[in-house]
Amino acid sequence: NAGVMQNPRHLVRRRGQEARLRCSPMKGHSHVYWYRQLPEEGLKFMVYLQKENIIDESGMPKERFSAEFPKEGPSILRIQQVVRGDSAAYFCASSPLQDWMNTEAFFGQGTRLTVV
Amino acid sequence: DAKTTQPNSMESNEEEPVHLPCNHSTISGTDYIHWYRQLPSQGPEYVIHGLTSNVNNRMASLAIAEDRKSSTLILHRATLRDAAVYYCILSTNSGYALNFGKGTSLLVTP
């Protein structure tokens, strides 16, 4: 059973371009979370999605950032018009249960975005 | 939101037990205590979690104080592969986020 798969592992974008980060949850998991980690910092929650629904996007910037988890295919985190401050590692996690407080989350290896 | 306090760093000798402390004095009755660790350039990895009773699994043990205001992650025999940042996190019913703080950076020396 493959773990949480994120791609690409490394992404370089010029300022003003768009970045698309993909996350395939573990098989059978329908709950996906996105986190961002700035250098030397802990992870910060961005958004929680279930299939075709955004449940909690309280940690996601209001502008330029969007996320989706379609019925088919991976979850996508999209950053439009990237700026240098968007450079970070972006991690995706998935879990099998809706009782998220009493279960473990499985994290991917992350996508390291560098904006030049 | 309930917060956790951990030492910035700790050091251990290989094959010795390690006790990683965490204070969470504002924990509420329904908050679970989770521990994750992050190896360099890796995603976080689940270690253990619990509510009130002590918990054991193949990776570690979690000792929870009777008043639940603190807990300790116990690695029974540290190995060099256990060198990582360890995060103590409370999952609360006020949101869906796992709130990672700065964690404790564990150094294991041969």
Side-chain angles (χ1 to χ4, degrees):
Chain A
N1 186 10
V4 177
M5 303 300 293
Q6 290 189 248
N7 67 82
R9 291 292 307 276
H10 299 274
L11 181 62
V12 179
R13 284 287 178 266
R14 296 185 186 283
R15 280 178 293 171
Q17 291 185 318
E18 177 179 290
R20 279 182 175 245
L21 288 62
R22 295 174 182 77
C23 169
S24 295
M26 288 184 70
K27 187 176 181 180
H29 288 193
S30 58
H31 305 266
V32 167
Y33 310 80
W34 284 93
Y35 288 80
R36 176 167 65 175
Q37 185 172 34
L38 296 170
E40 309 302 322
E41 299 283 332
L43 282 75
K44 301 295 184 188
F45 168 78
M46 299 182 73
V47 62
Y48 163 46
L49 310 102
Q50 295 178 18
K51 286 280 188 182
E52 301 183 278
N53 283 305
I54 297 175
I55 306 301
D56 181 359
E57 56 182 348
S58 59
M60 199 152 69
K62 295 284 188 285
E63 297 181 355
R64 303 188 298 108
F65 285 73
S66 62
E68 63 177 9
F69 188 17
K71 187 177 181 181
E72 302 291 338
S75 175
I76 306 287
L77 179 66
R78 182 182 176 204
I79 311 172
Q80 295 178 290
Q81 300 175 329
V82 295
V83 301
R84 288 240 172 94
D86 296 332
S87 296
Y90 292 82
F91 291 97
C92 168
S94 72
S95 69
L97 299 175
Q98 191 159 4
D99 183 16
W100 70 278
M101 288 174 64
N102 187 21
T103 189
E104 63 179 284
F106 296 82
F107 283 81
Q109 294 302 300
T111 293
R112 280 150 183 84
L113 172 65
T114 302
V115 179
V116 297
Chain B
D1 286 346
K3 296 190 187 304
T4 63
T5 304
Q6 300 177 252
N8 289 333
S9 62
M10 291 185 64
E11 192 169 336
S12 173
N13 294 321
E14 196 176 10
E15 299 192 6
E16 294 289 322
V18 181
H19 291 235
L20 296 165
C22 181
N23 288 321
H24 28 78
S25 58
T26 59
I27 192 171
S28 73
T30 56
D31 294 346
Y32 283 81
I33 303 158
H34 293 250
W35 284 83
Y36 283 77
R37 71 180 186 181
Q38 187 175 23
L39 279 66
S41 300
Q42 302 283 320
E45 176 187 28
Y46 169 84
V47 178
I48 201 166
H49 79 284
L51 183 62
T52 56
S53 303
N54 294 343
V55 185
N56 299 296
N57 66 20
R58 63 176 179 81
M59 288 183 69
S61 296
L62 175 60
I64 301 174
E66 194 169 336
D67 63 5
R68 301 212 322 128
K69 293 184 184 300
S70 65
S71 60
T72 302
L73 178 70
I74 303 166
L75 307 178
H76 296 286
R77 286 185 67 196
T79 69
L80 296 178
R81 292 170 57 187
D82 290 323
V85 178
Y86 286 79
Y87 296 98
C88 170
I89 302 164
L90 302 182
S91 60
T92 78
N93 58 12
S94 63
Y96 297 95
L98 290 171
N99 292 307
F100 290 78
K102 293 285 183 68
T104 296
S105 179
L106 176 65
L107 175 67
V108 181
T109 53

